[in-house]
């Protein structure tokens, strides 16, 4: 089984923290073996921040590239990227994840685990079933009704209960021109709100019942606020940007923001990014 020690910048979009050993299984037997070792599943690293803990090893799902159509259902392997899905949508003519266009590096596994969403739509709504490997090495499947019950806002049972291998999505056939137009539309809307390509892990905190996390941070004067080389974006306060900073600085920034929002609004911010 292959493993490589990779720098944080090669593993995550924000590029903070220490280098990590990443395992690259090439088949299901190897994958099961590695899942049983309790390795932490890695998608595109677009919602992930690495600590300075080189001992915690990661598991790449890159080899899981299945894309199988069956009527209005599409089975996708956990390693298929959002970019690959959007290309498939534009070629074959169907609606699925166009509302997420513009998210860099995300994979099916990460999109499901984080129940990614934007513009009032979530991945959960499109899922028919999810197949995963438990940490005992057993293959299990979540049905549509189980998904409805167990997924929430930027939450799912994964990776806590296991590693996603593949999932069946419900697709909506649509003319290629319309699909392409919608992808462009969502991309444009996203670019209006988010910072240009920089080292970030997307939204740092989950939104709260008291308001969007970005708005609360902004009102607490934290837009553009920095600790060393890590700062909140001037364009969207909930995006943390790495400008040559460290994990320690990220931690400090999060601590300051959490305290300031709590003392001002009595709201406890919860991290959306996963820290491992
Ligand atoms: C510029 C930018 C914009 C973004 N915009 C949005 C947005 O609009 N909406 C949104 O929801 N998110 C957004 N994100 C966050 C991120 O892209 C999503 O959360 C995405 O779903 C993460 O996918 P990933 O493959 O990169 O997962 P990773 O970041 O690699 O992992 C995220 C979590 O998923 C788990 N995971 C990954 N693969 C598996 C698997 N096979 N089985 C079990 N668990 C797994 C990981 O263990 C980790 O807990 C944005 C990020 C960036 C950088």
């Amino acid at each position: 089984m292959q493993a490589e020690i990779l720098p944080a910048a090669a593993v995550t979009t924000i590029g903070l923290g220490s280098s990590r050993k990443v395992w690259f299984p090439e088949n299901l037997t190897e994958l099961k073996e590695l899942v049983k070792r309790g390795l932490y599943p890695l998608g595109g690293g677009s919602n992930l921040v690495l600590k300075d803990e080189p001992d915690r090893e990661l598991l790449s799902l890159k080899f899981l590239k299945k894309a199988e159509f069956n009527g209005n259902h599409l089975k996708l392997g956990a390693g298929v990227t959002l970019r690959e899905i959007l290309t498939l949508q534009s070629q074959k003519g169907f609606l699925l994840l166009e509302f997420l266009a513009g998210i860099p590096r995300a994979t099916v596994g990460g999109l499901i685990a984080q129940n990614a969403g934007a513009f009032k739509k979530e991945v959960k709504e499109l899922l028919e079933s999810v197949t995963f490997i438990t940490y005992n090495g057993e293959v299990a499947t979540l049905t549509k009704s189980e998904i409805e019950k167990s997924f929430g806002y930027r939450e799912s049972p994964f990776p806590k209960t296991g590693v996603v291998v593949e999932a069946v999505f419900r697709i909506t056939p649509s003319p290629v021109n319309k699909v392409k137009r919608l992808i462009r539309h969502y991309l444009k809307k996203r670019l209006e709100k988010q910072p240009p390509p920089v080292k970030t892990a997307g939204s740092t905190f989950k939104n709260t019942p008291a308001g969007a996390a970005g708005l609360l941070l902004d009102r607490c004067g934290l837009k553009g606020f920095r600790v060393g080389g890590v700062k909140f974006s001037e364009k969207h306060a909930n995006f943390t940007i790495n400008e040559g900073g460290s994990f320690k600085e990220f931690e400090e920034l999060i601590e300051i923001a959490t305290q300031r929002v709590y003392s001002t609004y009595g709201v406890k911010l919860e991290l959306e990014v996963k820290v491992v």
Side-chain angles (χ1 to χ4, degrees):
M1 279 188 268
Q2 289 213 335
E4 253 182 88
I5 294 180
L6 294 174
V11 175
T12 64
T13 49
I14 195 164
L16 291 169
S18 58
S19 298
R20 291 296 171 100
K21 189 168 195 174
V22 184
W23 289 85
F24 294 92
E26 288 174 3
N27 54 53
L28 276 180
T29 313
E30 288 185 0
L31 177 61
K32 274 187 194 170
E33 203 44 54
L34 292 166
V35 173
K36 281 201 276 183
R37 288 191 206 168
L39 301 186
Y40 191 81
L42 170 69
S46 63
N47 217 190
L48 200 60
V49 179
L50 300 183
K51 296 182 190 175
D52 292 324
E53 280 180 17
D55 290 346
R56 187 81 162 100
E57 297 178 4
L58 305 173
L59 174 60
S60 165
L61 286 310
K62 258 187 181 168
F63 81 103
L64 294 165
K65 286 290 188 189
K66 184 183 283 178
E68 264 175 28
F69 289 90
N70 182 5
N72 285 345
H73 287 168
L74 172 60
K75 188 183 276 181
L76 290 170
V80 178
T81 63
L82 175 63
R83 182 183 283 241
E84 287 165 339
I85 297 167
L86 295 175
T87 303
L88 207 56
Q89 286 186 233
S90 308
Q91 287 167 349
K92 305 261 184 196
F94 63 93
L95 299 176
L96 186 63
L97 297 178
E98 58 288 340
F99 58 98
L100 297 177
I103 300 185
R105 275 166 57 167
T107 63
V108 166
L111 291 166
I112 292 173
Q114 291 294 78
N115 186 22
F119 306 110
K120 302 204 167 118
K121 290 181 193 175
E122 289 180 323
V123 165
K124 161 192 175 177
E125 297 158 24
L126 301 158
L127 284 170
E128 290 291 314
S129 65
V130 178
T131 301
F132 62 103
I133 299 178
T134 68
Y135 294 103
N136 296 326
E138 281 153 22
V139 177
T141 299
L142 279 188
T143 61
K144 193 172 162 58
S145 63
E146 288 166 335
I147 291 166
E148 262 156 32
K149 279 184 230 144
S150 58
F151 279 54
Y153 166 62
R154 302 295 173 270
E155 251 181 46
S156 82
F158 309 108
K160 202 169 171 208
T161 55
V163 173
V164 175
V165 176
E166 59 190 28
V168 177
F169 290 84
R170 194 174 356 92
I171 60 173
T172 306
S174 178
V176 161
N177 281 347
K178 184 177 170 192
V179 174
K180 288 184 178 168
R181 187 159 29 85
L182 277 173
I183 292 175
R184 279 199 303 272
H185 164 79
Y186 283 115
L187 206 51
K188 187 163 170 269
K189 277 181 104 169
R190 180 173 289 275
L191 291 175
E192 283 163 12
K193 284 199 314 179
Q194 287 181 4
V198 277
K199 286 185 170 180
T200 177
S203 294
T204 311
F205 298 103
K206 292 184 181 181
N207 290 328
T208 79
L215 189 70
L216 300 181
L217 293 167
D218 188 8
R219 288 192 179 147
C220 288
L222 291 165
K223 220 178 207 181
F225 182 84
R226 70 164 61 233
V227 174
V230 186
K231 68 169 189 181
F232 290 120
S233 160
E234 283 88 2
K235 191 160 180 187
H236 190 316
N238 199 21
F239 274 54
T240 309
I241 296 177
N242 172 19
E243 292 179 337
S246 64
F247 176 72
K248 258 191 165 351
E249 288 165 351
F250 170 81
E251 251 186 331
E252 208 179 306
L253 185 70
I254 296 309
E255 179 73 24
I256 291 171
T258 311
Q259 278 181 8
R260 211 181 273 186
V261 169
Y262 187 69
S263 61
T264 313
Y265 292 102
V267 173
K268 271 194 181 159
L269 287 178
E270 196 188 326
L271 280 181
E272 177 174 323
V273 290
K274 299 289 176 186
V275 179
V276 68

